[in-house]
Every structure is written in structure tokens, then in C-alpha cells.
Amino acid sequence: LYSSAASDVYTRQIINDEMLMGFADTLGNVVIKPQFAFVWPFKDGKAEVTYTGEKKALDDYGEHWTWQSDDWFYIDNNGNKLK
């Protein structure tokens, strides 16, 4: 689990057995079920997420990496896609 700013409602990113990501509240209750390939933490009431992409190493050792996707979008605190 990873934490983001305390001011956002869902401060925990979660990962299920299929390696899909979602969000939980501070008590660990799942509030947006794992369904995304990758998610960034909520900030200012929205989170950037994607259903696709791949992990890309930023160094030769694989210690540092990023997630690359051509299909990023934002969701609100209810998991609704924002325009």
C-alpha cells in the first residue's frame, strides 16, 4: 500500500492478486475496486489511471522505473472517468 496526501479521501493504492490496482480508504476498505493497470495517488480530488501500458526501467538495474501508457485518464473519488 502506498499513501498520498491526507487531504484526499482515498489515500491508499491497493493491488489485487491479478496485479490490478484500485483504492482503499484509510481504514483499508476498498472504495474503488482494483481494475487498473496502474494508478497515481489522488491529488486535488482526482487520480490519473490507465487500463493499459507497461513498466519501463529508467536505469540498467531496474531499480527505478515508470509506467508508460498512451491511454491515461482521470477519475474522481467515486471512480467515475472525468472528461
Side-chain angles (χ1 to χ4, degrees):
L1 296 176
Y2 305 94
S3 294
S4 66
S7 62
D8 282 309
V9 177
Y10 310 132
T11 59
R12 305 242 182 241
Q13 297 162 280
I14 57 173
I15 302 172
N16 70 7
D17 293 338
E18 287 105 26
M19 300 304 291
L20 295 175
M21 299 180 79
F23 293 92
D25 63 19
T26 56
L27 299 175
N29 300 309
V30 175
V31 290
I32 299 174
K33 71 177 183 168
Q35 58 191 293
F36 305 105
F38 194 83
V39 302
W40 290 104
F42 271 89
K43 183 177 179 183
D44 300 325
K46 62 185 180 181
E48 192 171 16
V49 301
T50 185
Y51 292 119
T52 63
E54 61 185 344
K55 185 177 177 178
K56 291 285 190 178
L58 297 176
D59 58 35
D60 291 337
Y61 307 104
E63 261 184 58
H64 300 93
W65 57 272
T66 189
W67 194 266
Q68 291 188 341
S69 174
D70 292 329
D71 193 30
W72 291 100
F73 59 96
Y74 287 96
I75 59 169
D76 64 18
N77 287 332
N78 295 315
N80 299 314
K81 188 173 183 177
L82 299 173
K83 293 183 180 190

XYZ file of all heavy atoms in Angstrom:
680
model
N 0.838 -1.192 0.000
C 0.000 0.000 0.000
C 0.873 1.241 0.000
O 1.913 1.272 0.642
C -0.885 0.021 1.241
C -1.911 -1.086 1.381
C -2.611 -0.953 2.715
C -2.904 -1.065 0.272
N 0.411 2.240 -0.677
C 1.137 3.492 -0.756
C 0.222 4.603 -0.278
O -0.975 4.565 -0.493
C 1.573 3.782 -2.190
C 2.378 2.663 -2.785
C 1.773 1.668 -3.544
C 3.742 2.576 -2.556
C 2.516 0.631 -4.080
C 4.482 1.536 -3.091
C 3.876 0.576 -3.838
O 4.601 -0.450 -4.367
N 0.772 5.606 0.364
C -0.033 6.711 0.877
C 0.158 7.952 0.030
O 1.229 8.183 -0.509
C 0.350 7.026 2.321
O 0.019 5.966 3.152
N -0.894 8.758 -0.047
C -0.796 10.064 -0.690
C -1.208 11.109 0.342
O -1.268 10.833 1.520
C -1.685 10.126 -1.937
O -3.036 10.031 -1.598
N -1.517 12.289 -0.097
C -1.853 13.382 0.818
C -3.060 13.045 1.678
O -4.039 12.486 1.213
C -2.120 14.651 0.017
N -2.990 13.409 2.934
C -4.060 13.101 3.887
C -5.359 13.819 3.553
O -6.423 13.410 3.980
C -3.606 13.460 5.300
N -5.293 14.888 2.758
C -6.498 15.641 2.433
C -7.381 14.915 1.418
O -8.551 15.228 1.290
C -6.124 17.019 1.888
O -5.379 16.873 0.702
N -6.855 13.956 0.704
C -7.656 13.221 -0.260
C -8.376 12.077 0.438
O -7.856 11.464 1.367
C -6.801 12.697 -1.412
C -6.478 13.799 -2.418
O -7.426 14.472 -2.856
O -5.302 13.983 -2.734
N -9.590 11.793 -0.011
C -10.444 10.801 0.631
C -9.821 9.410 0.604
O -9.809 8.714 1.603
C -11.829 10.782 -0.049
C -12.712 9.719 0.555
C -12.488 12.147 0.059
N -9.306 8.996 -0.530
C -8.758 7.652 -0.671
C -7.246 7.749 -0.749
O -6.689 8.120 -1.760
C -9.326 6.959 -1.896
C -10.836 7.047 -1.920
C -11.513 7.435 -3.041
C -11.568 6.776 -0.776
C -12.897 7.528 -3.053
C -12.945 6.874 -0.769
C -13.591 7.251 -1.908
O -14.951 7.354 -1.910
N -6.607 7.425 0.342
C -5.177 7.666 0.431
C -4.345 6.410 0.217
O -3.137 6.460 0.329
C -4.821 8.268 1.795
O -5.221 7.362 2.824
C -5.504 9.600 1.982
N -4.987 5.293 -0.085
C -4.222 4.059 -0.249
C -4.471 3.443 -1.620
O -5.602 3.230 -2.028
C -4.620 3.050 0.815
C -4.481 3.579 2.205
C -3.489 2.772 2.978
N -3.405 3.278 4.327
C -2.283 3.754 4.842
N -1.207 3.770 4.133
N -2.253 4.192 6.067
N -3.374 3.157 -2.302
C -3.451 2.409 -3.549
C -3.356 0.940 -3.169
O -2.539 0.579 -2.321
C -2.299 2.789 -4.468
C -2.325 4.244 -4.889
C -0.978 4.665 -5.411
O -0.090 4.949 -4.638
N -0.838 4.707 -6.728
N -4.186 0.105 -3.780
C -4.165 -1.322 -3.476
C -3.924 -2.123 -4.747
O -4.216 -1.657 -5.849
C -5.477 -1.775 -2.785
C -6.691 -1.428 -3.648
C -5.590 -1.144 -1.402
C -8.001 -1.986 -3.124
N -3.384 -3.332 -4.581
C -3.108 -4.222 -5.703
C -3.687 -5.591 -5.369
O -3.439 -6.122 -4.282
C -1.595 -4.354 -5.951
C -0.982 -2.978 -6.210
C -1.306 -5.294 -7.111
C 0.528 -2.974 -6.265
N -4.461 -6.170 -6.300
C -5.045 -7.492 -6.051
C -4.143 -8.604 -6.587
O -3.044 -8.345 -7.082
C -6.480 -7.584 -6.604
C -6.556 -7.600 -8.117
O -5.543 -7.669 -8.821
N -7.764 -7.535 -8.639
N -4.622 -9.841 -6.495
C -3.829 -10.998 -6.928
C -3.536 -11.000 -8.429
O -2.574 -11.628 -8.867
C -4.536 -12.309 -6.557
C -4.589 -12.516 -5.060
O -3.764 -11.913 -4.337
O -5.453 -13.288 -4.604
N -4.374 -10.326 -9.218
C -4.143 -10.246 -10.663
C -3.264 -9.054 -11.033
O -3.125 -8.709 -12.201
C -5.481 -10.158 -11.412
C -6.250 -11.461 -11.448
C -7.435 -11.424 -10.484
O -7.932 -10.327 -10.192
O -7.838 -12.495 -10.026
N -2.711 -8.390 -10.008
C -1.842 -7.222 -10.172
C -2.582 -6.014 -10.741
O -1.987 -5.160 -11.393
C -0.612 -7.554 -11.040
C 0.255 -8.662 -10.458
S 0.822 -8.338 -8.759
C 1.945 -7.005 -9.014
N -3.890 -5.931 -10.491
C -4.662 -4.755 -10.865
C -4.729 -3.828 -9.671
O -4.747 -4.272 -8.520
C -6.066 -5.154 -11.309
C -6.125 -5.995 -12.583
C -7.559 -6.429 -12.855
C -5.552 -5.239 -13.764
N -4.783 -2.533 -9.941
C -4.737 -1.535 -8.879
C -6.076 -0.833 -8.703
O -6.839 -0.674 -9.651
C -3.642 -0.509 -9.188
C -2.264 -1.125 -9.282
S -0.969 0.075 -9.659
C -0.755 0.804 -8.031
N -6.335 -0.401 -7.467
C -7.521 0.358 -7.106
C -7.194 1.201 -5.886
O -6.019 1.472 -5.600
N -8.236 1.580 -5.123
C -8.031 2.464 -3.974
C -8.835 1.997 -2.763
O -9.922 1.428 -2.898
C -8.467 3.892 -4.324
C -7.601 4.534 -5.365
C -7.927 4.440 -6.701
C -6.451 5.217 -5.008
C -7.133 5.017 -7.675
C -5.641 5.791 -5.981
C -5.991 5.705 -7.310
N -8.282 2.270 -1.587
C -8.944 1.991 -0.320
C -8.913 3.253 0.527
O -8.076 4.136 0.317
C -8.239 0.855 0.409
N -9.840 3.325 1.499
C -9.815 4.447 2.428
C -8.772 4.193 3.514
O -8.083 3.170 3.510
C -11.211 4.722 2.997
C -11.779 3.582 3.821
O -11.018 2.702 4.287
O -13.010 3.570 4.013
N -8.652 5.110 4.449
C -7.623 4.999 5.479
C -7.844 3.822 6.424
O -6.921 3.412 7.120
C -7.531 6.290 6.308
O -8.812 6.576 6.859
C -7.059 7.452 5.452
N -9.043 3.242 6.431
C -9.330 2.071 7.255
C -9.086 0.769 6.497
O -9.252 -0.311 7.044
C -10.775 2.111 7.755
C -11.134 3.305 8.638
C -12.624 3.294 8.975
C -10.284 3.312 9.900
N -8.719 0.871 5.229
C -8.456 -0.314 4.422
C -9.659 -0.846 3.674
O -9.584 -1.879 3.021
N -10.782 -0.139 3.728
C -11.980 -0.542 2.989
C -11.811 -0.212 1.507
O -11.469 0.923 1.161
C -13.218 0.189 3.517
C -13.467 -0.102 4.969
O -13.512 -1.251 5.386
N -13.602 0.949 5.764
N -12.040 -1.190 0.637
C -11.929 -0.957 -0.805
C -13.040 -0.012 -1.231
O -14.212 -0.264 -0.986
C -12.020 -2.282 -1.593
C -12.032 -2.023 -3.096
C -10.879 -3.205 -1.210
N -12.662 1.093 -1.869
C -13.649 2.077 -2.317
C -13.704 2.192 -3.839
O -14.720 2.586 -4.393
C -13.409 3.457 -1.668
C -13.734 3.417 -0.186
C -11.985 3.911 -1.867
N -12.609 1.879 -4.502
C -12.585 1.769 -5.965
C -11.852 0.468 -6.240
O -10.651 0.351 -5.993
C -11.886 2.967 -6.630
C -12.641 4.262 -6.296
C -11.801 2.769 -8.141
C -11.969 5.528 -6.786
N -12.613 -0.526 -6.703
C -12.065 -1.875 -6.837
C -10.870 -1.914 -7.783
O -10.798 -1.128 -8.738
C -13.139 -2.852 -7.301
C -13.557 -2.658 -8.732
C -14.574 -3.690 -9.160
C -14.886 -3.480 -10.638
N -15.612 -4.558 -11.217
N -9.929 -2.809 -7.528
C -8.793 -2.952 -8.428
C -9.262 -3.325 -9.837
O -9.984 -4.299 -10.013
C -7.982 -4.086 -7.791
C -8.329 -4.027 -6.342
C -9.791 -3.652 -6.334
N -8.886 -2.485 -10.799
C -9.291 -2.693 -12.182
C -8.324 -2.051 -13.168
O -8.432 -2.257 -14.365
C -10.695 -2.115 -12.405
C -10.780 -0.625 -12.081
C -12.180 -0.102 -12.046
O -12.832 -0.058 -13.093
N -12.662 0.269 -10.879
N -7.358 -1.305 -12.643
C -6.456 -0.534 -13.484
C -5.078 -1.189 -13.551
O -4.617 -1.794 -12.592
C -6.306 0.884 -12.931
C -7.609 1.600 -12.764
C -8.160 1.780 -11.508
C -8.308 2.084 -13.862
C -9.377 2.441 -11.336
C -9.517 2.737 -13.715
C -10.055 2.907 -12.453
N -4.396 -1.008 -14.695
C -3.023 -1.497 -14.831
C -2.082 -0.690 -13.932
O -1.147 -1.229 -13.359
C -2.567 -1.401 -16.283
N -2.352 0.613 -13.813
C -1.542 1.464 -12.949
C -2.358 2.676 -12.533
O -3.195 3.164 -13.297
C -0.260 1.928 -13.661
C 0.750 2.509 -12.718
C 1.609 1.679 -12.021
C 0.822 3.871 -12.507
C 2.536 2.214 -11.121
C 1.736 4.413 -11.622
C 2.599 3.577 -10.925
N -2.102 3.171 -11.330
C -2.767 4.374 -10.810
C -1.731 5.264 -10.142
O -0.757 4.786 -9.573
C -3.886 4.034 -9.790
C -4.930 3.139 -10.408
C -3.333 3.416 -8.516
N -1.962 6.558 -10.234
C -1.210 7.526 -9.440
C -2.094 7.912 -8.271
O -3.331 7.829 -8.368
C -0.840 8.744 -10.281
C 0.197 8.439 -11.319
C -0.017 8.281 -12.657
C 1.587 8.228 -11.104
N 1.167 7.979 -13.292
C 2.173 7.938 -12.348
C 2.406 8.238 -9.977
C 3.529 7.675 -12.505
C 3.757 7.980 -10.138
C 4.299 7.714 -11.383
N -1.529 8.357 -7.163
C -2.330 8.730 -5.996
C -3.303 9.876 -6.296
O -3.060 10.688 -7.189
C -1.287 9.187 -4.962
C -0.016 8.559 -5.400
C -0.091 8.487 -6.902
N -4.376 9.934 -5.509
C -5.313 11.040 -5.625
C -4.632 12.337 -5.227
O -3.857 12.381 -4.268
C -6.532 10.813 -4.717
C -7.624 10.064 -5.396
C -7.650 8.684 -5.365
C -8.630 10.735 -6.071
C -8.654 7.982 -6.001
C -9.641 10.047 -6.713
C -9.658 8.667 -6.670
N -4.919 13.378 -5.992
C -4.437 14.719 -5.693
C -5.525 15.685 -6.120
O -6.000 15.605 -7.253
C -3.130 15.003 -6.433
C -2.547 16.353 -6.117
C -1.221 16.567 -6.805
C -0.703 17.952 -6.455
N 0.540 18.241 -7.139
N -5.926 16.551 -5.215
C -6.973 17.535 -5.502
C -8.258 16.873 -5.987
O -8.917 17.358 -6.905
C -6.490 18.568 -6.525
C -5.270 19.340 -6.035
O -5.189 19.603 -4.814
O -4.396 19.666 -6.861
N -8.586 15.718 -5.408
C -9.854 15.051 -5.701
C -9.893 14.217 -6.964
O -10.953 13.768 -7.378
N -8.743 14.008 -7.604
C -8.727 13.172 -8.802
C -7.438 12.358 -8.842
O -6.426 12.724 -8.243
C -8.891 14.008 -10.071
C -7.791 15.018 -10.305
C -8.088 15.880 -11.516
C -6.971 16.894 -11.721
N -7.232 17.755 -12.866
N -7.499 11.233 -9.561
C -6.329 10.376 -9.719
C -6.157 10.042 -11.190
O -7.132 9.809 -11.904
C -6.491 9.088 -8.913
N -4.915 9.993 -11.640
C -4.619 9.608 -13.013
C -4.438 8.085 -13.048
O -3.691 7.521 -12.238
C -3.348 10.305 -13.494
C -3.142 10.196 -14.976
C -2.002 11.072 -15.470
O -1.171 11.528 -14.656
O -1.939 11.281 -16.686
N -5.140 7.424 -13.974
C -5.155 5.958 -14.045
C -5.093 5.500 -15.497
O -5.313 6.288 -16.417
C -6.437 5.380 -13.391
C -6.541 5.796 -11.924
C -7.690 5.811 -14.136
N -4.807 4.207 -15.688
C -4.815 3.627 -17.024
C -5.154 2.143 -16.946
O -4.857 1.489 -15.941
C -3.463 3.826 -17.754
O -3.594 3.345 -19.091
C -2.325 3.115 -17.049
N -5.781 1.636 -17.987
C -6.067 0.198 -18.102
C -4.956 -0.533 -18.843
O -4.942 -1.754 -18.890
C -7.371 -0.028 -18.868
C -8.616 0.417 -18.145
C -9.428 1.399 -18.688
C -9.004 -0.163 -16.946
C -10.591 1.796 -18.047
C -10.153 0.238 -16.294
C -10.943 1.216 -16.856
O -12.091 1.609 -16.217
N -4.048 0.216 -19.471
C -3.044 -0.388 -20.343
C -1.660 0.142 -20.017
O -1.504 1.057 -19.220
C -3.347 -0.068 -21.819
O -3.252 1.354 -21.995
C -4.717 -0.545 -22.231
N -0.670 -0.416 -20.687
C 0.687 0.090 -20.569
C 1.658 -0.966 -20.117
O 1.327 -2.150 -20.021
N 2.862 -0.513 -19.820
C 3.899 -1.427 -19.364
C 4.922 -0.696 -18.514
O 5.129 0.506 -18.649
C 4.571 -2.110 -20.541
C 5.264 -1.167 -21.502
C 5.820 -1.876 -22.726
O 5.944 -3.113 -22.706
O 6.115 -1.186 -23.696
N 5.543 -1.469 -17.655
C 6.597 -0.970 -16.782
C 7.868 -0.797 -17.599
O 8.265 -1.694 -18.337
C 6.816 -1.988 -15.658
C 7.767 -1.588 -14.609
C 7.795 -2.680 -13.544
C 8.794 -2.399 -12.460
N 8.758 -3.437 -11.418
N 8.493 0.379 -17.501
C 9.720 0.673 -18.237
C 10.819 1.060 -17.254
O 10.644 1.957 -16.441
C 9.506 1.839 -19.207
C 8.612 1.513 -20.365
C 9.333 0.651 -21.361
C 8.521 0.528 -22.622
N 9.159 -0.249 -23.638
N 11.947 0.369 -17.346
C 13.093 0.667 -16.489
C 13.694 2.011 -16.872
O 13.795 2.347 -18.056
C 14.129 -0.431 -16.604
N 14.111 2.764 -15.867
C 14.777 4.040 -16.097
C 16.288 3.924 -15.937
O 17.013 4.883 -16.167
C 14.236 5.098 -15.127
C 12.764 5.437 -15.283
C 12.332 6.412 -14.201
C 12.476 6.017 -16.656
N 16.740 2.741 -15.497
C 18.173 2.506 -15.342
C 18.488 1.066 -15.750
O 17.592 0.277 -16.008
C 18.627 2.798 -13.909
C 17.899 1.964 -12.873
O 17.572 0.786 -13.140
O 17.666 2.470 -11.771
N 19.744 0.744 -15.810
C 20.177 -0.591 -16.235
C 19.903 -1.670 -15.195
O 19.974 -2.858 -15.500
C 21.672 -0.590 -16.559
C 21.988 0.219 -17.808
O 21.075 0.405 -18.638
O 23.140 0.668 -17.948
N 19.606 -1.282 -13.969
C 19.436 -2.243 -12.885
C 17.969 -2.534 -12.569
O 17.670 -3.418 -11.786
C 20.141 -1.732 -11.621
C 21.583 -1.370 -11.886
C 21.967 -0.042 -11.994
C 22.544 -2.360 -12.066
C 23.285 0.287 -12.252
C 23.867 -2.028 -12.331
C 24.229 -0.703 -12.421
O 25.526 -0.374 -12.692
N 17.050 -1.786 -13.162
C 15.630 -1.979 -12.901
C 15.184 -1.469 -11.542
O 14.082 -1.739 -11.097
N 16.068 -0.721 -10.877
C 15.731 -0.168 -9.567
C 14.723 0.963 -9.686
O 13.875 1.129 -8.839
C 16.995 0.370 -8.881
C 17.570 -0.568 -7.874
C 18.752 0.052 -7.158
O 18.590 1.115 -6.537
O 19.829 -0.543 -7.234
N 14.847 1.754 -10.706
C 13.962 2.888 -10.938
C 13.186 2.629 -12.218
O 13.762 2.239 -13.224
C 14.774 4.181 -11.052
C 15.553 4.474 -9.816
N 16.848 4.081 -9.653
C 15.208 5.099 -8.670
C 17.281 4.460 -8.470
N 16.302 5.076 -7.840
N 11.883 2.860 -12.138
C 11.046 2.580 -13.302
C 9.861 3.530 -13.337
O 9.585 4.248 -12.392
C 10.573 1.126 -13.286
C 9.829 0.727 -12.051
C 10.356 0.246 -10.888
C 8.423 0.802 -11.841
N 9.359 0.014 -9.973
C 8.155 0.335 -10.532
C 7.351 1.194 -12.631
C 6.874 0.279 -9.993
C 6.064 1.139 -12.089
C 5.853 0.674 -10.793
N 9.171 3.519 -14.455
C 7.952 4.296 -14.632
C 6.952 3.435 -15.381
O 7.293 2.393 -15.932
C 8.235 5.612 -15.396
O 7.075 6.430 -15.378
C 8.642 5.338 -16.836
N 5.704 3.849 -15.403
C 4.668 3.151 -16.155
C 4.363 3.982 -17.387
O 4.059 5.173 -17.286
C 3.412 2.974 -15.312
C 2.479 1.982 -15.941
C 1.440 2.258 -16.777
C 2.516 0.574 -15.800
N 0.831 1.098 -17.177
C 1.474 0.037 -16.583
C 3.331 -0.310 -15.098
C 1.226 -1.321 -16.677
C 3.063 -1.656 -15.188
C 2.031 -2.149 -15.967
N 4.440 3.358 -18.556
C 4.162 4.061 -19.803
C 2.864 3.553 -20.406
O 2.644 2.340 -20.492
C 5.306 3.874 -20.790
C 6.558 4.583 -20.367
C 7.627 4.552 -21.433
O 7.605 3.746 -22.346
N 8.587 5.457 -21.315
N 2.018 4.492 -20.797
C 0.744 4.172 -21.423
C 0.345 5.318 -22.329
O 0.677 6.472 -22.062
C -0.330 3.955 -20.356
O -1.601 3.776 -20.950
N -0.396 4.995 -23.381
C -0.944 6.020 -24.268
C -2.396 6.329 -23.941
O -3.050 7.067 -24.671
C -0.854 5.558 -25.731
C 0.574 5.467 -26.214
O 1.424 6.242 -25.730
O 0.854 4.606 -27.071
N -2.893 5.767 -22.835
C -4.319 5.886 -22.522
C -4.565 6.275 -21.067
O -5.318 5.633 -20.356
C -5.023 4.563 -22.839
C -6.535 4.689 -22.845
O -7.033 5.786 -23.174
O -7.208 3.709 -22.513
N -3.910 7.335 -20.596
C -4.134 7.841 -19.246
C -5.425 8.657 -19.209
O -5.764 9.338 -20.166
C -2.985 8.747 -18.817
C -1.697 8.036 -18.594
C -0.641 7.975 -19.468
C -1.315 7.283 -17.450
N 0.376 7.237 -18.918
C -0.018 6.799 -17.677
C -1.950 6.970 -16.244
C 0.673 6.023 -16.750
C -1.261 6.196 -15.321
C 0.028 5.738 -15.572
N -6.127 8.589 -18.084
C -7.281 9.453 -17.853
C -7.438 9.657 -16.357
O -6.797 8.979 -15.551
C -8.563 8.868 -18.480
C -8.941 7.503 -17.959
C -9.860 7.353 -16.928
C -8.398 6.354 -18.527
C -10.214 6.094 -16.465
C -8.755 5.089 -18.076
C -9.657 4.969 -17.042
N -8.286 10.616 -15.978
C -8.513 10.917 -14.565
C -9.840 10.327 -14.109
O -10.795 10.256 -14.896
C -8.529 12.428 -14.326
C -7.167 13.060 -14.410
C -6.724 13.649 -15.586
C -6.321 13.059 -13.304
C -5.468 14.227 -15.662
C -5.054 13.637 -13.375
C -4.644 14.219 -14.552
O -3.394 14.786 -14.625
N -9.872 9.921 -12.822
C -11.128 9.519 -12.184
C -11.354 10.401 -10.963
O -10.411 10.964 -10.402
C -11.110 8.023 -11.757
C -9.973 7.737 -10.779
C -11.058 7.118 -12.982
C -10.054 6.360 -10.122
N -12.637 10.510 -10.571
C -12.965 11.240 -9.361
C -12.995 10.277 -8.174
O -12.703 9.093 -8.314
C -14.283 12.006 -9.517
C -15.496 11.107 -9.721
O -15.436 9.886 -9.419
O -16.533 11.637 -10.167
N -13.373 10.794 -6.994
C -13.397 9.982 -5.770
C -14.383 8.836 -5.819
O -14.325 7.926 -4.979
C -13.698 10.862 -4.554
C -12.522 11.729 -4.177
O -11.375 11.376 -4.416
N -12.794 12.881 -3.608
N -15.298 8.837 -6.787
C -16.264 7.740 -6.932
C -15.831 6.748 -8.012
O -16.540 5.797 -8.294
C -17.643 8.298 -7.286
C -18.204 9.129 -6.168
O -18.150 8.756 -5.003
N -18.745 10.300 -6.506
N -14.703 6.991 -8.643
C -14.216 6.115 -9.692
C -14.758 6.451 -11.061
O -14.535 5.714 -12.019
N -15.471 7.572 -11.183
C -16.024 7.993 -12.473
C -14.959 8.652 -13.322
O -14.163 9.468 -12.828
C -17.177 8.986 -12.275
C -18.309 8.379 -11.498
O -18.720 7.266 -11.771
N -18.798 9.103 -10.512
N -14.939 8.323 -14.612
C -13.993 8.918 -15.547
C -14.333 10.396 -15.747
O -15.489 10.747 -15.997
C -14.060 8.165 -16.879
C -12.997 8.556 -17.864
C -13.048 7.646 -19.085
C -11.949 7.961 -20.062
N -11.952 7.042 -21.217
N -13.311 11.239 -15.628
C -13.501 12.671 -15.840
C -13.187 13.013 -17.289
O -12.345 12.383 -17.913
C -12.592 13.475 -14.899
C -12.836 13.245 -13.413
C -11.771 13.961 -12.594
C -14.221 13.711 -13.025
N -13.846 14.050 -17.798
C -13.617 14.483 -19.178
C -12.524 15.500 -19.242
O -12.213 16.178 -18.349
C -14.905 15.073 -19.751
C -15.966 14.026 -19.904
C -17.204 14.606 -20.533
C -18.235 13.492 -20.669
N -19.348 13.878 -21.464
